[in-house]
Amino acid sequence: MTTHPERVATPRSPGLPENRERPSVSTAVRELQIALLECRVAALEQQLEAEREKRQAVVDRYERLLAER
């Protein structure tokens, strides 16, 4: 953990270099992981929306049946 005289202590990840430069491979891997997670989130959002539409269709059909009585 790095401390600064006028700031709160901030945790540092072990094993990371002290300077800000990181190998481009790890940056590329990180960017790929982010892209994969974004794709997974997008797919889950699409599934959620499809389920909402199916549920709404069931509610609409039920309401039509009640109205026809």
Side-chain angles (χ1 to χ4, degrees):
M1 189 172 292
T2 307
T3 57
H4 302 280
E6 298 175 329
R7 293 189 238 165
V8 177
T10 57
R12 265 192 345 120
S13 298
L16 292 178
E18 185 63 37
N19 61 8
R20 295 278 182 204
E21 291 185 32
R22 292 188 177 98
S24 62
V25 173
S26 67
T27 300
V29 169
R30 188 174 299 114
E31 289 173 358
L32 180 59
Q33 290 172 331
I34 290 169
L36 288 172
L37 289 172
E38 288 173 341
C39 287
R40 287 177 62 191
V41 167
L44 289 170
E45 287 175 340
Q46 288 175 350
Q47 289 176 350
L48 178 62
E49 185 59 30
E51 289 299 320
R52 286 179 177 156
E53 289 171 2
K54 282 173 54 176
R55 188 179 315 130
Q56 188 60 49
V58 170
V59 169
D60 292 344
R61 187 171 53 210
Y62 179 72
E63 289 175 347
R64 277 194 305 272
L65 288 171
L66 287 177
E68 291 173 1
R69 286 182 150 192

